[in-house]
Amino acid sequence: MNVAPRLTGLVGDMTAPALLELDHVSISYPTPDGILTAVEDVSFKIAAGERLVLLGPSGCGKSTLLRAVGGFLKPSAGELRMNGRRIGAPGPDRMTVFQEFDQLLPWRTVLGNVRYALERGKSLPRRDAEGIARRWLERVGLKNFVDAFPHTLSGGMKQRVAIARAFALEPALLLMDEPFAALDALTRRQMQDELLKLCEETGNTALFVTHGIDEAIRVGTRILALTPHPGRLAATFDVPPEVRVRGSSGFGELERRIQETVFSAAGIDHV
Amino acid sequence: MSDIAAPKLVHAPALRRALAGTPWRRFVILAGFALTWELYACWLDNALLLPTLGATLSALWSAVLSGELPNRAATSLRVLITGYALGVAIAAVLTTLAALSRWGNEALGLLTSMFNPLPAIALLPIALLWFGVGTPSLIFVIVHSVLWPVALACYSGFLAVPPTLRMAGRNLGLSGGRFVAEILVPAAFPQILSGLRIGWAFAWRTLIAAELVFGVSARSGGIGWFIYTSRAQLETASVFAGLLTVILIGLVVEGVIFRSLTRITVQRWGQVQT
């Protein structure tokens, strides 16, 4: 079982064709007190079919990195490439599931939200969009809520809608920005399991951001740990399928290793 | 994922259901007000200062039957709706530019802070100079009274749109006018709606005030002119009838148009509480 961290700056299988490539990326932005460097000199690659998790405590710039991949932020140095092309504006090839519940359009129903995304993001005619939307909403267990408005749903259900919307557009790369952080512990576990199932069924490539070690092991095939202030890559861990099972000895072992190598080194006891 | 079951609802008692959603408390208050007016006017017994409610209603009724008041009201409303539509349209263009460019943003901020505090009626002398006595002058001041509050409301509504919602829209590749029309406008609709309400109220009172100042001509004047001429002829009951008409039209617009608009939009979307 390979759970040993490889402490290198540039990680990823160099032979596999990279879907996403970050090349010495730094991101900084101005604050009232001066220029803040959120991310410094981060390089990694994601191959098709991988689920890469950016793991780290708050302030390690993991969400900033995800936004840059989404095209919402520009790097101050380095380059982000998707299929060899530099990332510019946001686009539906990188559908994002955000942590905040207000990512759904409150004036559209559950079905309307997913259908609208398909109409605009994939330029599908209304009829086709509606069919695909219904199929995906059924898949995330919201068959009985297609005509509900988002404000009548619970937080977990809103996130299900957002996940259905993201998957429905069949993005080349699925971006997830701590999508379960605002949910209660029970719902979060359930959502992790269901997301894992969807990912495995569709074989979608994903970039997932979290500060939970257990969540990272559960959903990822590879984990990149970051240290804060400014965000830098600290270590990478491969997650073999047998380790992904909650309660298995490998799971606990990997969790302990990540805890020791990353969070203890950064002077953080527990996250 | 497994299906989540829909919640079950139980019906409320019949009487509560019948009364719920009707403004019955308002009718009680209105009746109390009417009674007080009638009793006080009877006690005062001076039709020149305060006619009774009955006299006012009969003046209103005969003015309606003679066709004078409906004509006056139609004249006023025609001018009002023209000015209102024009003002809202200009506000829409300005706020779209402001949402899309930094220059537009600065321009709108400067213009609204300059012109919003300026009472529209204060522009009437200028309007009379530029457009002469007539409908164009009225429309000019109405546009001014609508434009700035509506633009300000749209703009502050746009600023309050959650960043996540903006990103969700841009994630679909939306930009420019489509982003404004399909994401920002509906997201800011609670503020836009209250801006439209304020704009309507401003336009209405600006129009009546302007009509009181100059009546266009006796032939084509609006409700303001009706009130003015009635006072000049010491027909106080007709003055009150004119005022009542102004109030009634205001109530219909607020109670029917804006209320239904609120119900089918922002209340349904959960953007405001009932």
Side-chain angles (χ1 to χ4, degrees), chain A residues 128-142:
Chain A
D128 302 355
E130 177 149 341
I132 298 173
R134 280 187 189 278
R135 274 203 294 287
W136 271 102
L137 286 167
E138 194 162 331
R139 219 161 156 181
V140 298
L142 290 177

Side-chain angles (χ1 to χ4, degrees), chain A residues 31-241:
Chain A
T31 67
D33 305 322
I35 291 171
L36 178 83
T37 302
V39 175
E40 196 171 72
D41 195 25
V42 169
S43 302
F44 62 81
K45 289 179 182 180
I46 302 181
E50 259 193 306
R51 293 193 302 278
L52 187 72
V53 180
L54 294 176
L55 173 70
S58 14
C60 74
K62 55 193 189 300
S63 286
T64 309
L65 268 173
L66 192 90
R67 302 234 155 134
V69 174
F72 301 107
L73 284 177
K74 293 224 176 323
S76 40
E79 207 174 71
L80 298 99
R81 287 184 292 267
M82 214 29 206
N83 289 320
R85 267 198 266 163
R86 183 204 278 263
I87 287 177
D93 59 328
R94 283 153 288 142
M95 280 301 287
T96 310
V97 178
F98 299 94
Q99 179 188 335
E100 294 83 6
F101 297 148
D102 56 16
Q103 62 189 299
L104 301 179
L105 312 180
W107 56 93
R108 290 186 185 275
T109 59
V110 165
L111 178 66
N113 262 280
V114 182
R115 191 191 60 213
Y116 174 75
L118 284 159
E119 282 173 354
R120 288 290 172 267
K122 297 200 88 177
S123 309
L124 288 180
R126 193 187 167 99
R127 235 187 167 171
D128 302 355
E130 177 149 341
I132 298 173
R134 280 187 189 278
R135 274 203 294 287
W136 271 102
L137 286 167
E138 194 162 331
R139 219 161 156 181
V140 298
L142 290 177
K143 189 173 72 185
N144 299 328
F145 292 88
V146 286
D147 294 323
F149 281 92
H151 72 101
T152 62
L153 305 181
S154 69
M157 284 153 77
K158 286 179 193 169
Q159 295 308 81
R160 281 169 194 264
V161 180
I163 288 171
R165 177 172 70 178
F167 271 103
L169 269 86
E170 298 173 320
L173 178 62
L174 198 57
L175 303 178
M176 306 240 173
D177 188 8
E178 302 195 48
F180 309 139
L183 302 177
D184 62 272
L186 224 64
T187 313
R188 191 183 310 141
R189 279 181 73 136
Q190 193 190 351
M191 295 287 287
Q192 288 164 2
D193 296 350
E194 296 189 7
L195 176 72
L196 178 65
K197 201 171 144 231
L198 285 179
C199 283
E200 284 176 342
E201 283 168 6
T202 57
N204 233 305
T205 315
L207 180 59
F208 194 104
V209 159
T210 183
H211 60 250
I213 300 176
D214 58 333
E215 185 165 274
I217 300 172
R218 187 78 187 118
V219 301
T221 56
R222 191 154 56 96
I223 299 170
L224 295 188
L226 290 108
T227 53
H229 310 299
R232 285 198 190 93
L233 280 192
T236 173
F237 305 87
D238 286 320
V239 188

Side-chain angles (χ1 to χ4, degrees), chain B residues 47-214:
Chain B
L48 205 59
L49 281 184
L50 182 68
T52 61
L53 178 61
T56 302
L57 289 179
S58 80
L60 180 66
W61 185 240
S62 59
V64 169
L65 281 188
S66 75
E68 190 189 1
L69 205 50
N71 275 340
R72 300 288 188 205
T75 306
S76 286
L77 281 176
R78 206 176 307 126
V79 175
L80 185 65
I81 289 168
T82 312
Y84 188 71
L86 211 57
V88 171
I90 299 173
V93 172
L94 282 185
T95 38
T96 302
L97 291 177
L100 294 178
S101 91
R102 216 161 264 194
W103 279 94
N105 186 352
E106 292 284 329
L108 184 69
L110 185 66
L111 288 175
T112 46
S113 55
M114 273 166 63
F115 289 126
N116 202 30
L118 187 66
I121 201 73
L123 287 179
L124 197 56
I126 298 289
L128 289 175
L129 269 180
W130 288 350
F131 304 109
V133 175
T135 312
S137 289
L138 288 176
I139 290 179
F140 177 79
V141 291
I142 293 172
V143 165
H144 175 85
S145 73
V146 174
L147 172 56
W148 307 113
V150 172
L152 197 64
C154 288
Y155 184 63
S156 57
F158 286 178
L159 286 184
V161 174
T164 320
L165 199 55
R166 287 171 179 270
M167 286 195 280
R170 290 176 59 207
N171 201 175
L172 298 175
L174 298 177
S175 62
R178 190 166 246 188
F179 179 71
V180 174
E182 295 185 4
I183 302 291
L184 292 186
V185 168
F189 209 67
Q191 287 94 328
I192 292 175
L193 200 56
S194 73
L196 289 175
R197 270 197 166 121
I198 293 169
W200 173 262
F202 278 15
W204 197 207
R205 59 183 78 169
T206 301
L207 173 68
I208 299 298
E211 282 180 351
L212 281 170
V213 173
F214 75 100

